[in-house]
Amino acid sequence: MEKKTYIQAFCTIENNKIVLNGETVFESENTGFADFSKKAYQHFEIGYPKFFKMDNLSKLAFLGSELLLKAQNPNDENNTALLFANKSSSLDTDVKYQNSISDKENYFPSPAVFVYTLANICLGEISIRHQLKSENSFFIFDAFNAAFMADYANILIETQKAKNVLCGWTEFFGEDYKAFLYLVGNEGAIENTKQNLEILYNK
Amino acid sequence: MEALKQELKEKIIAVLNLEDIAVADINDTDALFGDGLGLDSIDALELIVLLDKDYGIKLTDPKEGKHIFQSIDTMSSYIAANRTK
């Protein structure tokens, strides 16, 4: 029989609002993501200047992971795998980069933008910040795939590839964004199932 | 030269997204890399692009960068002597 795993904490970021375990912990009115993310960074006193060099997708994933991993037992951090997915991959940054090289008369490709033209770079940012040397994967789906995410996290824990798994749906394109991140482990109140994930995702 | 140094500091802060650093925080002789501003290798590439885009200077020898990007003083001197725009 499959061993059960549990959702220990969850966080949603959308519409200029951050909700942690069902409770609004930060909100900013009528602003774009750049301003919202900067205000959230200041509000939570993150103190990590590299945040400002990240692309939007990495900032989104980073903010969610900060809230979930800072509450974690430090001993568990090094055994935390990362399992992320989204729909638009790194398209938001890809378009910005393309714009910087589309005019032959004004051809100045930015190395700092180019390095973010892969979706899984955000996992690298989280790993560097939390010194994770663990399994990590980034998948592309049309929509949040609760069944896949539940199964994959369960397999990672069952096969002892990780003690915990930080999972995330981090979608960003243009000014549309949504992040739903959650931490899975062997203990907790909410079972890590497709049904529960769909309920929390749509909350 | 002072105006160029001021301009360079403003551009470096903007281009490299140094949100928590102000122009007044950068001394002309401060090391830009390592213990100074703490810039990294991607920042070095951005500075090369900045020289090309804003001052018409193309660095062909990467070894030159090590000296040119030591500080605001060395950068401004090099730009003043080699700029084409």
Side-chain angles (χ1 to χ4, degrees):
Chain A
M1 192 178 135
E2 266 187 24
K3 194 173 180 294
K4 288 180 179 176
T5 61
Y6 296 88
I7 298 162
Q8 299 177 332
F10 56 97
C11 171
T12 304
I13 306 175
E14 62 181 332
N15 300 325
N16 299 329
K17 191 159 83 169
I18 302 179
V19 180
L20 180 63
N21 298 323
E23 188 183 324
T24 299
V25 290
F26 178 74
E27 199 167 5
S28 178
E29 285 177 12
N30 293 330
T31 186
F33 181 77
D35 186 47
F36 164 72
S37 59
K38 182 178 174 179
K39 285 178 176 161
Y41 169 93
Q42 290 165 339
H43 176 79
F44 293 112
E45 299 177 342
I46 291 174
Y48 190 68
K50 192 167 189 294
F51 176 81
F52 296 108
K53 293 172 182 282
M54 297 178 194
D55 73 340
N56 289 328
L57 178 62
S58 289
K59 282 181 179 172
L60 185 62
F62 186 91
L63 281 175
S65 67
E66 279 296 293
L67 297 180
L68 294 176
L69 294 181
K70 81 174 177 187
Q72 199 187 20
N73 180 340
N75 295 327
D76 289 346
E77 258 195 6
N78 272 328
N79 205 358
T80 299
L82 302 176
L83 169 61
F84 278 57
N86 76 0
K87 180 182 179 183
S88 299
S89 184
S90 59
L91 190 60
D92 185 69
T93 299
D94 298 348
V95 168
K96 286 188 181 114
Y97 186 71
Q98 174 63 28
N99 289 339
S100 77
I101 59 172
S102 57
D103 180 2
K104 283 183 181 171
E105 302 303 314
N106 194 27
Y107 184 86
F108 296 107
S110 164
V113 175
F114 178 73
V115 292
Y116 288 100
T117 56
L118 276 175
N120 60 343
I121 298 300
C122 68
L123 304 185
E125 294 291 9
I126 295 168
S127 296
I128 291 167
R129 166 67 161 168
H130 296 279
Q131 298 293 300
L132 304 179
K133 299 176 183 76
S134 52
E135 293 275 326
N136 69 69
S137 310
F138 199 111
F139 294 92
I140 313 297
F141 293 116
D142 268 344
F144 178 59
N145 189 335
F148 177 90
M149 296 295 278
D151 286 347
Y152 203 104
N154 282 342
I155 289 167
L156 283 171
I157 292 174
E158 206 172 293
T159 57
Q160 299 184 337
K161 297 282 186 197
K163 189 176 177 189
N164 299 291
V165 185
L166 176 66
C167 304
W169 173 263
T170 50
E171 168 62 13
F172 200 112
F173 185 58
E175 272 302 314
D176 295 327
Y177 65 91
K178 172 165 181 164
F180 169 58
L181 285 84
Y182 56 99
L183 192 60
V184 175
N186 283 312
E187 294 161 2
I190 310 168
E191 196 179 336
N192 179 37
T193 63
K194 172 181 181 288
Q195 291 75 16
N196 285 338
L197 286 176
E198 282 173 347
I199 289 168
L200 294 178
Y201 177 83
N202 290 308
K203 243 182 181 176
Chain B
M1 188 63 96
E2 287 309 309
L4 176 59
K5 287 179 183 175
Q6 173 77 11
E7 176 185 292
L8 259 183
K9 290 175 187 176
E10 289 169 2
K11 284 185 176 180
I12 287 172
I13 288 170
V15 169
L16 304 184
N17 295 310
L18 305 177
E19 285 274 343
D20 51 355
I21 291 176
V23 166
D25 297 333
I26 308 175
N27 294 313
D28 295 350
T29 54
D30 281 351
L32 297 179
F33 293 85
D35 293 338
L37 279 187
L39 304 185
D40 61 22
S41 56
I42 300 295
D43 294 324
L45 295 174
E46 284 293 337
L47 291 181
I48 291 172
V49 174
L50 186 149
L51 285 188
D52 187 6
K53 189 175 180 181
D54 293 3
Y55 303 105
I57 299 171
K58 286 189 190 299
L59 283 191
T60 49
D61 182 1
K63 287 178 193 162
E64 282 183 299
K66 200 170 179 181
H67 170 69
I68 297 165
F69 298 138
Q70 267 181 357
S71 66
I72 292 293
D73 267 350
T74 56
M75 248 186 115
S76 57
S77 298
Y78 186 81
I79 291 169
N82 295 280
R83 67 189 300 170
T84 60
K85 63 180 179 186

